[in-house]
Amino acid sequence: MFRQLTLSLIGLSFVSGQEALEPLDTLDPLDLSGSVGEDFGELDATVIESASNLALRDFSPLPSELLEEQELQRLVQGTLGETLGWQPGINSAFYGQGASRPVIRGFDGFRVRLLRDSVGTLDVSASSPDHGLPLEPLLLREVEIFRGPAALLYGNSALGGAINTQTRSFATEMPDRLFSGAIENRFDTASSGWSQSAYFNVAHGDWVLTLTGSNRTADDYEIPGRARTSAYERAFNPIVNDPTTGSTQAIKNPDGTLPNSHLESQSYSVGLSWLPAELPLTASAAYSYFDSEYGLPYLFGGDANDLFGDSSLAMRQERMDFRLSYLADQPWLTEAVFHFGYGDYQHAESFAGRLKDEGTDFTDTRFELDAWEARIDLIHEPTDWWRGVVGAQFISRALDPSFLAAAPQPNSRFFNSFETQNLGLFANETLTWGDFEFTAALRWETQQIDDLSLAAFGFTREVDDTSLSSIMGVSWEKQNVSFFDRLKVNLNASYVERLPTETERFAFWNNPAIQRFIIGGDLGGTPLDTEQSLGLDLGVQGEIGEVGFQLNAFNYRIDNFIFLQDLRGIGNQAQYTATDARFYGLEFEANWTLYEQDDDGLYLTFMGDWIRAEQRSDDSPLPRIPPFRLGSRLEWTSGNFEAGIELRYAFEQDRVQESSGVVQGEMPTDAYTELNLDFSHDFQIGDTQQLTVFLQGRNLLDSERRLHTSFLKDVAPLPGRSWILGARLEF
C-alpha cells in the first residue's frame, strides 16, 4: 500500500493540508482535529454560548470553509495571499514579500472582499497589487472563506468571494485563567528573515485585557536562477542610457537573489472586552497599529530614458474596532451583533535612483484613506425549520491619492480626492423541509461617489448608483444513499450587481510599482456601467467509508465586466475598461483516512482547481487567470508529533491574452512542481504551558515558480528552497 501511496504522490501534486470545504450546517465529514493531538492553542476554554449557536457563515447559501488556529499555524506565511494560496479555488496575486492578496476563482482586487473581524480592512490593497494588507497572519485566530455569491452578506462587490479574518485584537471568549497567551519566533533561510509575534490575555472578573505585537525583518530573498525570464528579455530588452558614453547599456538580469525584495513590518494592538457570564450582553473595543516598508521588485518601464532605480512602499494604519452583541433568545431576534471599524491609512511609494540617476531620490505616488464601516446583523430562528439573518451595512471612504506629474520635481504634485458613501441592506432566509433546505438571499445597495479632485477650480462630479442582488438555492442531504454513507447536493442560482468603485471610475495617477499610468474608465468619455452577473453553482459533498470529498462547479456570465487593461501608446498606460465575460471552473478536495488507531493516524488529502475566464465576444482569454493545479498532502500524527509531505503541481498557463495595436498582451507561464515538508512536536512543560518546536521545508526542489496572476511574474519568481525553524510557547 505504501508503494501505491508513493506512486500517487509522484503522479499528483500536493496542497498544504487544508480542511474540507465544509457545508454550512453540517460537520466536516472528516474532522481530523482530534487526530492531530490536543489543540493546546485553544486557550480561551470557557465559551459564552450564543442562544442559537449560529455564526454568520451559517446563513451563507453556499458552502464556506473555516480554517482554525491549529491549521493556520502550519499554513501561515508572510502575507494573507501566500497563506491561503493553495486552498481549492484560491490563488495569490504575489507582489514580493510585502504585498500578496488572495485571488478567488480568478477574481481579484475589488471582487474579493477582505475583512478583519467582520468589517473591511479599510485600506487600498484592492486598488493595486503592490499595495500591502495591514494585517499580520501570525496573529489570526481563524479565517472564514466564502466563495462566489456566498459573500453576499458582506457586499455586492465581492463577486469572487470574501475572506473574513478573525484577529486577536480583542477577546470574544472568557479565558479560563488570569493570564494566558503565546509567544512565537521563527527564522526563514531564503530571506534570512526573523518573525516574532505574541499575544497576552489578562482576565479579571468580567473583563479581559488583550495585548498583541509582531515584528518581521527579511532581506532580499533567494531565487532559483535569474529574475527575468528569457522570453521577457527578448520581448522588452531592458536597457538604460549611460550618460558617460552616450550609449545604452543592458540592465543586468539578477541571478540567485531578487534585488529590492526586502521587508520590515511591525504591529501592535490593545483591546478590552466586557464578557459578563450572567448578562446577555458583551462589548469589546480595540486599538491597533500596523506599519510596513518593503521593496518592489524592478519592472522595466520600456524606455531607456526613464528614471532608473528602485521603488519601495511605506504604509501605516491606525485602527479602532468595536463589537457589541445582545442575546435576546426570542423567536424573531435570537441575537443582535454590531460591528464598527475606523481606519486612518496612508502609504507613500518612494524612488531611489541607480546608475545614471544615482542620488535622485523622491516620493512619488501617495495614498491617504480615512474610512469607517458599520454593520448590524439581526439573527432569528423562529422555529426549528426556519432560520435567517437581516441587517444593514454602511461604508464611508475619503480617498486622497496624489502623484508627481513631472517626477522628480516635488512641486509638480497632482492631487485627487474622492468621497464614497455606501449603504447596503440584506436578508437571508433558510427553510428546512425533510432532507431539503431552501435558501433565499437578497441585498440592495446604494452608493454615491463625489470626485472633488478639481473642486478648487469649481469643477466636481457625482455618481449615484443602486444595485440589487439575489440568490435562490436548494440543497439535499441524506445518509446511506447507495454506496455513499452521506451525500449532499447544493444548487444555487445567483444574480449579482456590482457597483464600480471610485478608482475604477476616476483613477488618474502613476503607479511606479507596475510601471503603468492608471486611467479610470469614466475618463474615457463613457461612464462605466454596473456589472451584472448571472451565476450557477453546483456542489456535491459526500462520504464513502474513510473517504470524504467535495466538488464545486461554477459558471458566471458577466455583463460589463470591469478590469485593468494594459494599453500600448505613449508610455505604459492601463485603463479600466469593460467587456462581457464568462468565468467557469471546478474545485475539488478529497480526504482519506488511511490508518487511525489510538493517537496514531495517517491521512491523505487531494485537491485541484481549474478556471477559465474569457471575453464572450470572441472567446479570447482575460489577463492574469490562474492555471490548472493539482495537489495532495500525506500527514502522519503520533501523539504530540506531526509530520507532513506536500507535492504541488501548477500546469503551464499558455492561454493568454494576445497583443494588438492597442492592447499589450501576456506571456505564457511555465509549469512548476513544488515539494514541501513539515515537522512539529509539542512538549508539555506544565499544567498550562506547552512548547511547540517546528521545522518546515518549502520548495525543496528549488523549482522556478512564477504565478500567472501576478503583474511581476516575468521579473520576480517566488523564493527558492527555504527552511523555516521556529518555536511557540503557549501558556
Side-chain angles (χ1 to χ4, degrees):
M1 183 177 71
F2 282 96
R3 182 179 180 184
Q4 293 174 340
L5 288 175
T6 304
L7 292 175
S8 298
L9 296 177
I10 294 174
L12 281 173
S13 41
F14 257 31
V15 61
S16 113
Q18 59 274 352
E19 296 184 336
L21 306 178
E22 64 177 0
L24 306 175
D25 55 347
T26 62
L27 295 175
D28 189 329
L30 284 179
D31 184 3
L32 306 183
S33 60
S35 64
V36 184
E38 284 294 316
D39 186 4
F40 200 87
E42 296 294 330
L43 298 175
D44 301 328
T46 304
V47 180
I48 299 176
E49 295 286 348
S50 164
S52 63
N53 274 333
L54 293 176
L56 201 58
R57 62 180 173 271
D58 291 304
F59 302 103
S60 170
L62 296 169
S64 67
E65 181 180 1
L66 178 65
L67 298 178
E68 297 182 301
E69 179 183 17
Q70 185 171 356
E71 187 73 5
L72 285 172
Q73 288 172 351
R74 184 178 56 77
L75 294 175
V76 68
Q77 297 190 53
T79 62
L80 187 64
E82 294 173 281
T83 299
L84 304 179
W86 270 84
Q87 302 300 301
I90 303 181
N91 288 259
S92 170
F94 180 77
Y95 217 95
Q97 296 189 89
S100 178
R101 278 176 56 99
V103 177
I104 304 181
R105 293 182 170 178
F107 297 101
D108 60 0
F110 298 108
R111 293 180 189 83
V112 176
R113 188 98 206 278
L114 298 185
L115 304 135
R116 171 175 168 160
D117 297 316
S118 299
V119 294
T121 50
L122 307 177
D123 57 25
V124 297
S125 62
S127 64
S128 180
D130 63 304
H131 298 166
L133 188 66
L135 187 72
E136 176 49 70
L138 287 171
L139 292 172
L140 297 180
R141 288 189 294 111
E142 62 182 32
V143 173
E144 297 172 290
I145 300 172
F146 300 86
R147 292 171 173 81
L152 196 63
L153 290 174
Y154 291 108
N156 285 355
S157 64
L159 181 61
I163 295 176
N164 186 18
T165 61
Q166 299 293 332
T167 71
R168 297 187 180 278
S169 298
F170 53 81
T172 58
E173 301 171 349
M174 180 63 67
D176 62 352
R177 51 190 178 276
L178 173 65
F179 188 64
S180 60
I183 302 173
E184 181 177 309
N185 198 2
R186 57 174 65 196
F187 177 76
D188 185 345
T189 61
S191 62
S192 298
W194 286 97
S195 301
Q196 297 92 25
S197 63
Y199 69 91
F200 306 94
N201 292 318
V202 182
H204 178 70
D206 296 331
W207 298 87
V208 183
L209 175 67
T210 302
L211 306 173
T212 75
S214 69
N215 181 71
R216 288 182 184 269
T217 58
D219 297 334
D220 296 342
Y221 65 78
E222 298 175 354
I223 56 176
R226 297 193 177 275
R228 301 194 295 267
T229 63
S230 56
Y232 184 89
E233 292 281 273
R234 290 191 300 270
F236 291 94
N237 186 29
I239 57 176
V240 63
N241 277 333
D242 184 351
T244 62
T245 63
S247 62
T248 60
Q249 66 180 79
I251 298 174
K252 182 181 178 181
N253 191 354
D255 187 7
T257 301
L258 185 64
N260 203 41
S261 59
H262 58 85
L263 165 72
E264 290 187 15
S265 72
Q266 301 82 35
S267 74
Y268 65 84
S269 70
V270 180
L272 185 64
S273 297
W274 179 57
L275 307 172
E278 68 282 359
L279 294 177
L281 294 171
T282 67
S284 300
Y287 166 83
S288 58
Y289 176 87
F290 183 95
D291 74 68
S292 177
E293 182 174 354
Y294 52 91
L296 300 168
Y298 178 73
L299 185 63
F300 182 54
D303 191 329
N305 295 307
D306 285 346
L307 288 166
F308 178 70
D310 293 324
S311 294
S312 61
L313 190 148
M315 58 180 289
R316 176 197 62 79
Q317 185 190 59
E318 294 182 87
R319 177 176 172 129
M320 291 292 299
D321 284 278
F322 300 93
R323 182 182 187 274
L324 298 172
S325 70
Y326 171 63
L327 301 179
D329 199 18
Q330 299 295 320
W332 294 103
L333 181 59
T334 304
E335 184 176 5
V337 184
F338 173 75
H339 299 274
F340 177 86
Y342 167 78
D344 178 7
Y345 170 96
Q346 60 182 256
H347 83 236
E349 300 176 26
S350 300
F351 175 85
R354 291 196 286 130
L355 296 181
K356 70 181 180 66
D357 297 306
E358 184 74 32
T360 302
D361 301 344
F362 59 91
T363 297
D364 194 342
T365 305
R366 295 174 178 168
F367 275 78
E368 297 181 5
L369 175 68
D370 191 78
W372 60 269
E373 179 175 338
R375 67 176 292 131
I376 184 168
D377 302 301
L378 304 175
I379 299 171
H380 51 270
E381 194 175 12
T383 71
D384 57 0
W385 51 268
W386 180 3
R387 68 178 189 273
V389 58
V390 298
Q393 185 176 16
F394 191 87
I395 301 173
S396 176
R397 293 166 51 93
L399 177 64
D400 297 310
S402 66
F403 71 98
L404 296 183
Q409 301 299 323
N411 58 356
S412 67
R413 185 164 295 278
F414 183 87
F415 293 88
N416 294 268
S417 181
F418 311 105
E419 293 183 358
T420 302
Q421 311 292 326
N422 181 289
L423 171 65
L425 304 176
F426 56 88
N428 189 311
E429 303 297 328
T430 299
L431 303 179
T432 303
W433 181 46
D435 298 327
F436 290 89
E437 263 194 357
F438 300 91
T439 299
L442 188 69
R443 185 182 181 97
W444 173 85
E445 281 190 12
T446 180
Q447 179 173 276
Q448 177 181 313
I449 301 175
D450 294 312
D451 180 5
L452 309 177
S453 303
L454 299 176
F457 302 95
F459 174 76
T460 62
R461 51 190 157 192
E462 177 183 303
V463 179
D464 291 289
D465 292 307
T466 59
S467 68
L468 185 66
S469 302
S470 61
I471 300 177
M472 296 291 291
V474 60
S475 67
W476 172 82
E477 182 175 11
K478 197 170 184 62
Q479 307 287 332
N480 301 317
V481 180
S482 184
F483 53 86
F484 293 97
D485 297 323
R486 184 179 69 89
L487 182 64
K488 182 172 183 177
V489 180
N490 301 279
L491 179 63
N492 291 271
S494 61
Y495 173 74
V496 177
E497 294 183 339
R498 188 184 77 88
L499 302 177
T501 66
E502 70 272 63
T503 299
E504 291 170 314
R505 287 193 179 280
F506 302 126
F508 191 75
W509 53 77
N510 185 42
N511 189 321
I514 62 174
Q515 287 292 339
R516 290 158 174 85
F517 192 89
I518 309 300
I519 303 171
D522 284 26
L523 303 185
T526 303
L528 295 173
D529 291 327
T530 300
E531 281 185 1
Q532 298 175 331
S533 170
L534 282 172
L536 279 176
D537 288 78
L538 174 65
V540 180
Q541 187 185 66
E543 297 175 33
I544 306 173
E546 299 299 322
V547 178
F549 70 92
Q550 173 133 350
L551 172 68
N552 295 325
F554 59 90
N555 189 322
Y556 305 135
R557 179 185 174 92
I558 308 172
D559 294 337
N560 306 315
F561 177 79
I562 302 167
F563 67 105
L564 189 62
Q565 175 65 69
D566 284 340
L567 304 177
R568 289 187 181 275
I570 301 175
N572 285 342
Q573 301 178 11
Q575 184 170 20
Y576 285 101
T577 186
T579 188
D580 293 337
R582 177 172 53 246
F583 281 70
Y584 55 98
L586 297 169
E587 307 156 348
F588 72 86
E589 184 179 41
N591 299 279
W592 185 10
T593 300
L594 301 173
Y595 171 80
E596 193 171 56
Q597 184 173 354
D598 299 329
D599 292 334
D600 299 336
L602 183 65
Y603 310 97
L604 184 63
T605 300
F606 293 98
M607 64 78 66
D609 49 35
W610 174 80
I611 301 165
R612 282 287 180 93
E614 54 202 18
Q615 300 186 62
R616 299 208 311 266
S617 59
D618 56 5
D619 294 335
S620 62
L622 290 169
R624 298 178 296 279
I625 299 303
F628 177 35
R629 304 183 306 174
L630 290 172
S632 187
R633 172 179 173 83
L634 184 66
E635 181 178 292
W636 168 256
T637 64
S638 181
N640 293 328
F641 176 77
E642 178 181 333
I645 178 173
E646 302 168 350
L647 186 63
R648 304 169 170 176
Y649 188 78
F651 287 77
E652 177 187 16
Q653 179 58 290
D654 57 0
R655 194 171 184 271
V656 297
Q657 188 180 65
E658 306 218 352
S659 61
S660 68
V662 177
V663 174
Q664 179 174 301
E666 294 181 286
M667 296 179 185
T669 303
D670 291 340
Y672 68 81
T673 302
E674 178 182 331
L675 176 66
N676 301 324
L677 292 173
D678 60 85
F679 307 90
S680 69
H681 197 287
D682 299 333
F683 300 91
Q684 189 155 343
I685 55 178
D687 292 339
T688 59
Q689 293 84 40
Q690 179 174 288
L691 176 67
T692 301
V693 178
F694 56 89
L695 175 67
Q696 300 174 352
R698 293 178 180 159
N699 191 21
L700 296 182
L701 301 178
D702 207 25
S703 300
E704 182 178 293
R705 302 171 298 153
R706 299 178 186 269
L707 300 182
H708 195 79
T709 52
S710 172
F711 275 93
L712 292 181
K713 72 182 185 68
D714 293 298
V715 302
L718 297 175
R721 181 186 299 112
S722 67
W723 291 96
I724 299 171
L725 176 64
R728 180 174 56 257
L729 176 64
E730 298 168 291
F731 50 88

